[in-house]
Amino acid sequence: MQKHLLVTGAGGFIGHALVKRLKKEGHWVRGVDLKYPEYESSCADEFEILDLRRWDNCLRATRGSLDEIYNLAADMGGIGYITAFLADIARNNMLINVHMLEAARENNARRFLFSSSACVYAQNKQKASSVTPLREEDAFPADPEPGYGWEKLFSEEMCRYYWHDYKFETRIVRFHNVYGPLGTYDGGKEKAPAAICRKVALASNGDEIEVWGDGEQTRSFMYVDDCVEGLIRLMASEYRDALNLGTSELVSINQLVDFVADVAGKQIVKRHNTQGPQGVRGRNSDNSRLREVLAWEPSINLRRGLRQTYPWIENELKRVAAIRTKRAC
Ligand code: NAD
C-alpha cells in the first residue's frame, strides 16, 4: 500500500537516506529541511525549505492526510558542537519538536516518530570505558547531557503526553552514533567516525593525527543502512515507549582510529589532545528490548561499515581539492 509520508531533516544525513529507502518502497514522500541534501539531490516527491522552529511552517509541513511523519530535523552535531552551544541547541530543537507534534496532531497525521538520542542517558551511569550497556530505563533518574540531552529527554516526554492526553500515536527512537557515506565530514558538526576518516584521508603514511581525549573513551557505532531499517520497523510496530537503536559492538576511539587506518592502508600515529571534548567515558546500547520488540537488531559491524564510509570521504576530499585547484588556475 502506498503511504503519504513526511520526513523532516530530509536535507540531513539520516533523513536523506530514509527518503531514498521510502521512495524505493513506492511511497509518496514530502521532505522538509532548512537546506537541500549536500552531496546528492533528494528523490522526495516534494521538497520544501522551511524553518520548523516556526509554528506556521510546521502547519504547512504537516498539511494533507499524512500517514506517517518521521521527525528527524534537529540542530545537532558531534561532541565538540553539542558541548559548545547549549542554549541555541536546546531552544531550536524544543521549538521544532513541540510545534511539529502539535501541528501533526492538528492536521490529523496518523503516526509521528521522534528521533531521540543516547545523549538522554544518565551521565553517572557512563563513567567507565567498560560501561554496562544502557537499557531504556537507565535514562532515569534524569541526568542527561546538558542542552541537547535534556531537550531530547523532554521531547520524549512530550510524545508520551500526546498519547496520554490525545491518544496521538507516537514512536520514540534513541539513536546511538550513526555513520556512513553522505554524512557530514567537516565544518564542525561532524561526528567521530567521519572526523577520523577525514583526518586519516588527509594524512600521509606515518603521519600523526589529533585524537580528542586519551582515546580510551568508548562508544558503539551504527551504519546508516541499519539505522533506516530500524526506523521503518519501529514506525510499523505498536511500541510507544523509547527504544534503543544502535549496535552493541563497543569500541574505544583509539580502536576506531586503528580500524580506519587499516581500511586506508596507512600507518597512523595518534596525538592525544586531553583538552579536547570527549563526552561521557563509555556508552553502549543494550539491545534486549530492541530484539524483543522488532525481532531484529543492527548487524553491520564497524569494520564493514567503515569499508563503505572511508572511500566516500576520501573521494569527497579529492573532489573538493580538485575544484579548489581548478578555481585557483
Ligand atoms: P543532520 O544534522 O545531518 O540532519 C538534521 C537536519 O535537520 C539538517 O539537515 C538540518 O538542516 C535540519 N534542521 C535543523 N534545524 C532545522 C529547522 N529549524 N527547520 C528545518 N530543518 C532543520 O543530523 P542526522 O545525523 O541526520 O540526525 C537526524 C536526527 O537523529 C536528529 O534528530 C538527531 O538529533 C538524531 N540523532 C542522530 C545521531 C547520529 O549519530 N547521527 C545520534 C543521535 C540522534
Side-chain angles (χ1 to χ4, degrees), residues 22 66 190:
L22 294 171
L66 293 169
E190 66 278 18

Side-chain angles (χ1 to χ4, degrees), residues 12-14 33 50-52 72 74 115 148 152 175 178 191:
F13 171 45
I14 302 172
D33 202 300
L50 295 172
D51 184 343
L52 295 173
L72 302 180
S115 53
Y148 181 69
K152 290 288 191 195
F175 292 137
V178 188
K191 306 189 110 196

Side-chain angles (χ1 to χ4, degrees), residues 8-15 32-35 50-53 71-77 92-93 96 114-118 148 152 174-179 184 189 191:
T8 76
F13 171 45
I14 302 172
V32 170
D33 202 300
L34 283 175
K35 62 170 180 69
L50 295 172
D51 184 343
L52 295 173
R53 288 171 299 185
N71 189 35
L72 302 180
D75 181 6
M76 67 92 67
N92 290 340
N93 293 341
I96 295 172
F114 170 60
S115 53
S116 186
S117 162
Y148 181 69
K152 290 288 191 195
R174 286 184 189 155
F175 292 137
H176 289 249
N177 299 304
V178 188
Y179 71 99
T184 304
K189 285 194 166 187
K191 306 189 110 196

Side-chain angles (χ1 to χ4, degrees), residues 16-278:
H16 176 65
L18 178 64
V19 169
K20 281 207 281 194
R21 169 73 188 270
L22 294 171
K23 281 307 300 167
K24 261 194 201 142
E25 293 189 358
H27 301 300
W28 184 93
V29 184
R30 177 184 300 145
V32 170
D33 202 300
L34 283 175
K35 62 170 180 69
Y36 293 104
E38 268 164 76
Y39 310 111
E40 60 182 27
S41 50
S42 177
C43 51
D45 297 275
E46 276 179 15
F47 197 105
E48 298 192 350
I49 299 293
L50 295 172
D51 184 343
L52 295 173
R53 288 171 299 185
R54 290 178 53 118
W55 166 242
D56 51 343
N57 285 341
C58 290
L59 273 179
R60 182 177 165 83
T62 55
R63 72 190 184 280
S65 312
L66 293 169
D67 294 303
E68 292 167 359
I69 296 176
Y70 291 88
N71 189 35
L72 302 180
D75 181 6
M76 67 92 67
I79 191 67
Y81 185 77
I82 65 165
T83 51
F85 306 105
L86 303 184
D88 283 357
I89 290 177
R91 184 190 62 246
N92 290 340
N93 293 341
M94 282 310 308
L95 287 170
I96 295 172
N97 297 335
V98 295
H99 285 155
M100 276 300 299
L101 253 177
E102 178 59 11
R105 184 186 75 85
E106 281 199 15
N107 275 327
N108 299 313
R110 289 188 32 237
R111 236 166 230 215
F112 181 97
L113 182 144
F114 170 60
S115 53
S116 186
S117 162
C119 288
V120 300
Y121 283 113
Q123 294 176 92
N124 57 34
K125 292 177 181 148
Q126 305 172 79
K127 287 190 181 301
S129 293
S130 57
V131 62
T132 305
L134 294 154
R135 293 163 307 154
E136 284 74 2
E137 47 272 37
D138 288 325
F140 295 99
D143 175 25
E145 185 78 34
Y148 181 69
W150 274 106
E151 159 269 303
K152 290 288 191 195
L153 193 59
F154 186 70
S155 297
E156 287 189 3
E157 287 299 292
M158 285 296 288
C159 290
R160 292 192 188 97
Y161 302 157
Y162 267 67
W163 171 251
H164 178 270
D165 290 11
Y166 307 116
K167 295 290 171 277
F168 183 60
E169 284 284 358
T170 53
R171 301 289 176 271
I172 305 164
V173 65
R174 286 184 189 155
F175 292 137
H176 289 249
N177 299 304
V178 188
Y179 71 99
L182 307 178
T184 304
Y185 61 88
D186 65 359
K189 285 194 166 187
E190 66 278 18
K191 306 189 110 196
I196 289 167
C197 285
R198 186 198 69 233
K199 290 179 188 185
V200 170
L202 291 173
S204 300
N205 198 25
D207 273 1
E208 227 182 45
I209 66 162
E210 185 193 45
V211 176
W212 286 349
D214 65 1
E216 290 306 312
Q217 63 273 32
T218 53
R219 295 292 185 275
S220 69
F221 299 98
M222 170 171 56
Y223 191 64
V224 64
D225 290 0
D226 272 337
C227 172
V228 167
E229 178 68 31
L231 276 174
I232 291 173
R233 285 175 182 254
L234 176 58
M235 183 65 106
S237 81
E238 295 309 311
Y239 196 72
R240 289 187 202 96
D241 281 330
L243 194 65
N244 278 334
L245 183 53
T247 74
S248 48
E249 181 190 1
L250 189 70
V251 295
S252 70
I253 298 301
N254 285 333
Q255 283 173 311
L256 174 63
V257 175
D258 293 342
F259 285 180
V260 174
D262 198 35
V263 171
K266 293 180 186 178
Q267 298 287 327
I268 293 292
V269 179
K270 303 174 198 90
R271 179 170 31 87
H272 292 113
N273 172 4
T274 49
Q275 301 309 308
Q278 312 174 38

